[in-house]
Amino acid sequence: MKKCDYCAKEISYYDQYCCKECERLTLEYHQRTERFSKLFYIVNTICVFGIPVGLFLASFSPAVGLTVATLSCVVLGLMLIFLPFPTESMIRKHKLQKAIKISRIFGGCVIGLGVLIVGLAFILKK
Ligand SMILES: [Zn+2]
């Protein structure tokens, strides 16, 4: 059975979407991806490197290192919530709607990780 490209509802073999709304949302998603993909990849790259670099720096200068790591987590997390661009394989596997949801949840987790780093640093300092 074929599934709607957006919400994964079962549809007939000849359709791509179950309804106009799903088609519209998919189109909007692709327009957003096109418009912001550069920004997304730049921020993504900086933050993904920023987290380990920050943690590494923390062994020399805890204040600087932890700030870098935490900021990277928070920025990356916020971006994933506002610009949830899941990978192609995620979209193929889960269809767009669920893949976007997973990206947002992941973004929330990344922010949580940032908070955790600050929390741990605070506890370890005592
Ligand atoms: Zn649908």
Side-chain angles (χ1 to χ4, degrees):
M1 200 68 180
K2 216 180 151 188
K3 287 179 174 174
C4 171
D5 269 357
Y6 186 77
C7 70
K9 207 183 279 176
E10 289 190 351
I11 48 172
S12 83
Y13 186 75
Y14 304 100
D15 293 323
Q16 197 174 1
Y17 304 102
C18 67
C19 59
K20 279 265 168 267
E21 182 69 2
C22 284
E23 191 174 355
R24 189 180 65 80
L25 288 167
T26 307
L27 193 74
E28 264 180 27
Y29 167 81
H30 286 297
Q31 283 169 345
R32 206 163 51 229
T33 316
E34 222 164 273
R35 204 174 314 152
F36 294 108
S37 66
K38 247 191 205 130
L39 175 78
F40 179 86
Y41 285 113
I42 293 168
V43 175
N44 195 39
T45 308
I46 293 172
C47 292
V48 165
F49 274 103
I51 297 166
V53 166
L55 291 175
F56 174 74
L57 284 176
S59 53
F60 304 106
S61 168
V64 175
L66 290 173
T67 307
V68 171
T70 306
L71 268 181
S72 299
C73 285
V74 172
V75 171
L76 182 64
L78 283 177
M79 189 182 69
L80 286 170
I81 289 170
F82 289 108
L83 295 177
F85 294 166
T87 60
E88 283 299 319
S89 63
M90 270 170 74
I91 296 173
R92 256 202 311 278
K93 194 169 167 202
H94 300 290
K95 300 298 178 191
L96 196 52
Q97 190 179 39
K98 200 174 170 198
I100 288 175
K101 210 185 211 169
I102 294 170
S103 289
R104 288 215 162 105
I105 292 169
F106 184 70
C109 293
V110 174
I111 294 176
L113 180 72
V115 173
L116 196 73
I117 292 173
V118 174
L120 277 178
F122 202 70
I123 292 165
L124 291 175
K125 229 170 140 188
K126 276 186 179 168

